[in-house]
Amino acid sequence: MKRNLLTLFVVTALLFSCSSDKDDSNQDNGIVGSWDLTALEIDDSTASDDEKNARDILSFLSVIDCYIMTITFNADLSVITENSGNYLEINVNPGGTGLDVPCPTEKDTSVDSYMYEGGVLTYIDENEVETTVNAEISGNTMRVNATELDFANFDDGGVLIFTKR
């Protein structure tokens, strides 16, 4: 389960860490700013145990202001992705009363480019391979369809929720 959860965060980080040399014709559309991954919305009736565990861990960490991923979209179309999912440790409390998930102190950071237009977020990697995902912004909330990211062992996928600072 730990490997599957880490895969979720790594694949999400890869999506948000590819580069592009697009021009500045892109409009802001409310995406400019820093966004923290705060939740995973899933359907409990169809979600796998891995998806439920990922949701619960994100929820727990968000309550203590620990964010596994922060994405900062700049007006110049550069994007800074900070991801600590590779450093997530999932332990069981010594008393057997649940999970112990400390906030990671290490993170990976990348600086790349993005395009956001008409609710579609596009990244182009160094090999000119495009990755697109629907990203719906409403106020200070951005919803990204996790199903489009094709995570292993995340059949239901759900929706990644980012909250703007």
Side-chain angles (χ1 to χ4, degrees):
M1 192 284 296
K2 180 178 177 182
R3 186 174 69 219
N4 294 330
L5 183 62
L6 290 176
T7 300
L8 168 72
F9 295 122
V10 170
V11 172
T12 303
L14 289 174
L15 170 71
F16 289 104
S17 65
C18 299
S19 64
S20 171
D21 293 328
K22 297 287 184 178
D23 63 28
D24 286 338
S25 64
N26 191 38
Q27 293 182 335
D28 171 3
N29 294 324
I31 200 167
V32 172
S34 293
W35 298 84
D36 298 314
L37 178 60
T38 55
L40 171 64
E41 289 182 356
I42 55 174
D43 181 347
D44 277 330
S45 65
T46 59
S48 69
D49 288 341
D50 289 338
E51 292 164 333
K52 292 175 185 176
N53 287 333
R55 177 206 50 210
D56 294 345
I57 289 169
L58 277 174
S59 176
F60 169 78
L61 291 173
S62 293
V63 167
I64 61 171
D65 293 326
C66 174
Y67 305 106
I68 297 301
M69 178 177 291
T70 297
I71 304 169
T72 301
F73 295 97
N74 298 307
D76 66 358
L77 301 182
S78 64
V79 58
I80 301 168
T81 305
E82 298 174 324
N83 176 23
S84 57
N86 290 329
Y87 306 100
L88 190 65
E89 293 182 22
I90 302 172
N91 306 303
V92 176
N93 285 330
T97 58
L99 295 179
D100 174 28
V101 185
C103 188
T105 57
E106 295 181 65
K107 62 185 170 188
D108 297 322
T109 302
S110 65
V111 179
D112 300 292
S113 299
Y114 74 96
M115 289 286 298
Y116 180 71
E117 194 168 348
V120 177
L121 190 54
T122 303
Y123 287 83
I124 302 172
D125 69 17
E126 63 277 357
N127 297 319
E128 300 297 318
V129 176
E130 288 191 16
T131 302
T132 61
V133 63
N134 289 318
E136 173 189 317
I137 296 175
S138 177
N140 290 333
T141 302
M142 178 169 53
R143 300 169 58 84
V144 176
N145 186 338
T147 305
E148 296 174 356
L149 300 176
D150 196 28
F151 295 127
N153 298 320
F154 280 73
D155 299 326
D156 183 46
V159 176
L160 295 170
I161 305 297
F162 290 85
T163 304
K164 193 173 192 178
R165 289 187 191 170

